[in-house]
Amino acid sequence: MGNLIESLSRVSGATREVVEIASRALDDIRPRWEELDELAAYNHSKVLEAFRRARVQEGYFWGSTGYGYGDAGREKLDEIYAEVFGTEKALVRGQIVSGTHAIALALYGVLRPGDELLGVTGEPYDTLQGIVGIREGEPGSLSDWGVCYRQVDLGPDGRPDLDAIRVSVGARTKAAFIQRSRGYSWRPPVSVESIGAIVRAVKAANPGTVCIVDNCYGEFVETSEPTEVGADLIAGSLIKNPGGGLAPTGGYLAGRADLVEAAANRLTAPGLGTHVGATAGWGRAFYQGMFLAPHVVAEALKGAVFAARLFELLGLETSPGVREPRTDIIQAVRLGSPEALVAFCQGLQKCSPVDSHVKPEPWPMPGYAHQVIMAAGAFTQGASIELSADGPMREPYVAYLQGGLTKEHVVSGVLSAVGEMRSRGLLTQAWGSITGR
Ligand SMILES: *Cc1c(COP(=O)(O)O)cnc(C)c1O
């Protein structure tokens, strides 16, 4: 049978030399995998306890139609999310179309004309720029509604600048916005501990400022969540971490009851709030996905740590590095050339369960200044809790790798990506110094 790498070398077409170096990477990170098993166990018990308290039963999965009045399954799932995130209330809905939509609901729920929104972790994620109105003339953006936006940039070390945050929060600052994940930037993600420090800095300057966290990619990566260190409201996507790879669509918010109610009024209508929204056929997948999420997130992280070590051995810079703490599921690898980025994504795609025969190419994606290449062979369109990779075609040609429902799949994908790069004569320098050939 051989070791894990040898077994996976068959499907990923890894050559002897790739197997050798990957086996070494695996040996090196075994202790990190054990830590991740502990993380999964901790978060699993949190989730299982919430299911037990809610007395989950099969009838909750049947789903409702039409208005969805009195849908006990939907109400219980809201309770489970609230319990897991340690909040008063949560809103979990298939009618929330994405993470961006969930974050928009949080912002539009809280902010009124004349208010100020303060971004405290630098430039917001691409899809949020339209909401804020950083791009001119976006009808319905916050700026169109008379909400102004200011930003505190990250410090030179890429970390939140607490002193600058303290002096920037003013009387009009209704909300402070924190992005936990690195998104598609080289900066380190913001840990839950650091989010706690930001919240304290904001509240010291203005106790009435609402702290909203974009929790995308962060759920279950640590043993606590932003709402446990003072954040008032979090929002995220169900086709990322908390959907466990099973949720086919949807988003969630969790936090202070009044803020969740305000967001629900934006999603539906004032007066309808949280009381409507059919669950149709989604119920079981939402429940089962949440049940699996801590394990799936740990699997994705195991894959990310393996990739970090393997590319490190190949002489490339990775972020986070193998030993650095993690607070999101993204692994960035600085590949250094357009050829390498294309080979990486095409190699990864070859090892997908869906669309393995498709060859991704760089394309001019709307809203981006550069061409982007994406590898995604997912069961759910765009689900980035499933193994995927992408990168903008610009210096320094960074591949952002994330997700993976099983560590086996991430390892196969990464082996295939490395094999593809190797067979195109890339990585040669790094190779010689490692294998001595
Ligand atoms: C994924 C993501 C979002 C939301 O993106 P959607 O594609 O709309 O779900 C927002 N912020 C960050 C940091 C993300 O990773």
Side-chain angles (χ1 to χ4, degrees), residues 328-369:
D328 70 7
I329 61 169
I330 301 180
Q331 179 63 54
V333 184
R334 198 184 287 242
L335 296 173
S337 77
E339 295 79 19
L341 180 54
V342 170
F344 179 96
C345 290
Q346 292 182 347
L348 194 85
Q349 182 80 33
K350 278 190 186 173
C351 255
S352 300
V354 181
D355 288 339
S356 59
H357 55 286
V358 169
K359 197 170 175 183
E361 298 284 354
W363 64 295
M365 212 167 116
Y368 290 82

Side-chain angles (χ1 to χ4, degrees), residues 98-101 103 125 127-128 179 181 183 214 216-217 237 240:
S98 66
T100 304
H101 188 194
I103 294 161
Y125 188 75
T127 59
L128 304 186
Q179 182 179 309
S181 168
D214 168 358
C216 282
Y217 285 143
S237 165
K240 293 182 179 173

Side-chain angles (χ1 to χ4, degrees), residues 103 121-126 128 154 158 160 177-192 195 198 212-219 221-222 226 235-236 240-241 319-320 326-332 384 400-402:
I103 294 161
T121 49
E123 182 106 324
Y125 188 75
D126 293 273
L128 304 186
L154 296 167
F177 184 76
I178 301 162
Q179 182 179 309
R180 180 174 176 184
S181 168
R182 66 172 59 241
Y184 298 115
S185 68
W186 191 260
R187 75 152 166 99
V190 184
S191 68
V192 170
I195 290 173
I198 295 175
I212 301 174
V213 179
D214 168 358
N215 208 28
C216 282
Y217 285 143
E219 300 89 350
V221 177
E222 296 190 67
K240 293 182 179 173
N241 306 14
S319 176
R326 286 169 190 261
T327 193
D328 70 7
I329 61 169
I330 301 180
Q331 179 63 54
S384 43
Y400 295 93
L401 176 77
Q402 65 268 316

Side-chain angles (χ1 to χ4, degrees), residues 152-378:
V152 179
D153 286 328
L154 296 167
D157 56 354
R159 298 187 190 277
D161 187 342
L162 294 177
D163 292 329
I165 291 170
R166 246 176 241 115
V167 299
S168 301
V169 173
R172 278 178 60 205
T173 312
K174 184 65 183 293
F177 184 76
I178 301 162
Q179 182 179 309
R180 180 174 176 184
S181 168
R182 66 172 59 241
Y184 298 115
S185 68
W186 191 260
R187 75 152 166 99
V190 184
S191 68
V192 170
E193 189 187 352
S194 175
I195 290 173
I198 295 175
V199 171
R200 285 191 296 278
V202 169
K203 301 277 184 185
N206 182 348
T209 300
V210 174
C211 293
I212 301 174
V213 179
D214 168 358
N215 208 28
C216 282
Y217 285 143
E219 300 89 350
F220 306 124
V221 177
E222 296 190 67
T223 51
S224 60
E225 297 290 335
T227 35
E228 294 170 83
V229 295
D232 299 296
L233 188 60
I234 56 175
S237 165
L238 297 195
I239 63 168
K240 293 182 179 173
N241 306 14
L246 294 185
T249 188
Y252 79 93
L253 295 101
R256 242 168 60 191
D258 59 326
L259 304 176
V260 173
E261 293 282 359
N265 277 355
R266 277 299 301 210
L267 173 66
T268 60
L272 300 182
T274 60
H275 306 292
V276 291
T279 44
W282 295 319
R284 180 189 308 273
F286 284 2
Y287 274 94
Q288 205 171 357
M290 176 44 121
F291 174 69
L292 289 178
H295 179 76
V296 169
V297 167
E299 291 288 290
L301 288 169
K302 284 179 185 175
V305 169
F306 167 77
R309 182 59 186 149
L310 178 56
F311 283 102
E312 216 174 77
L313 285 176
L314 292 171
L316 296 177
E317 205 186 329
T318 61
S319 176
V322 178
R323 270 158 295 274
E324 281 181 83
R326 286 169 190 261
T327 193
D328 70 7
I329 61 169
I330 301 180
Q331 179 63 54
V333 184
R334 198 184 287 242
L335 296 173
S337 77
E339 295 79 19
L341 180 54
V342 170
F344 179 96
C345 290
Q346 292 182 347
L348 194 85
Q349 182 80 33
K350 278 190 186 173
C351 255
S352 300
V354 181
D355 288 339
S356 59
H357 55 286
V358 169
K359 197 170 175 183
E361 298 284 354
W363 64 295
M365 212 167 116
Y368 290 82
H370 297 82
Q371 291 204 330
V372 175
I373 183 160
M374 294 186 162

